[in-house]
Amino acid sequence: MSQWTTTVRVKGRVARERHATLDEALDSAERHAGQAVLGPTAPTVDLKVREYAPAAQVSARIEVSGPGRLLPAVRAGLDVRGDGSTAAWTGRLQRTVVEPKDRETPGDALRRAVKG
C-alpha cells in the first residue's frame, strides 16, 4: 500500500505519484525538481504597485507528504524559483526554509530535515 505522495505543481498543472517508501518519494521529488530547473526562467513581474523578481517567484513546487490522511506526519518539499534556484522547505500551513549545510544540495537538505 502506498503511504507517501509526491505532488508536483508546475504552471497550474498538478500531478501526484504514490510511493511505498520515503526514499522513493524523495528521489521522485529530486528528479522532478531537476526537470523543472531545466525549464525557462521566469521574467520579472511588474504589478505597478510591486515588482516580483524571478528569485521571488515559485515556478514549480514539489511536495512530499505522508503517512496519514487528515494530518500527514510529514509535509516537506522543494521549490524551484523563477531564476532556476531550488530551496527545500518543511511545514504545512507555514513553510520553513531548510538551509543547506556545507556543500549540501537542496535535495540533501530536504532528506536531512525529513529523516531527522
Side-chain angles (χ1 to χ4, degrees):
M1 183 174 181
S2 301
Q3 294 187 33
W4 299 92
T5 303
T6 302
T7 305
V8 181
R9 294 179 179 89
V10 180
K11 296 185 180 180
R13 295 184 183 186
V14 179
R16 288 184 177 80
E17 296 177 356
R18 307 261 184 227
H19 305 281
T21 66
L22 175 59
D23 284 328
E24 289 175 9
L26 292 171
D27 290 341
S28 175
E30 286 185 84
R31 185 178 67 253
H32 285 293
Q35 291 170 352
V37 168
L38 296 177
T41 58
T44 299
V45 176
D46 186 5
L47 299 177
K48 304 298 180 206
V49 178
R50 185 170 179 187
E51 195 172 277
Y52 293 94
Q57 301 172 41
V58 176
S59 61
R61 175 164 285 153
I62 298 91
E63 180 180 310
V64 175
S65 62
R69 291 182 177 243
L70 296 178
L71 295 173
V74 172
R75 185 67 64 109
L78 296 167
D79 282 348
V80 178
R81 306 281 179 192
D83 63 351
S85 64
T86 305
W89 55 268
T90 61
R92 183 180 177 128
L93 297 176
Q94 185 174 359
R95 290 181 182 85
T96 304
V97 175
V98 178
E99 295 295 334
K101 293 183 178 179
D102 297 326
R103 296 181 182 191
E104 275 185 332
T105 66
D108 293 338
L110 177 64
R111 284 181 190 278
R112 176 177 43 86
V114 170
K115 290 187 169 187

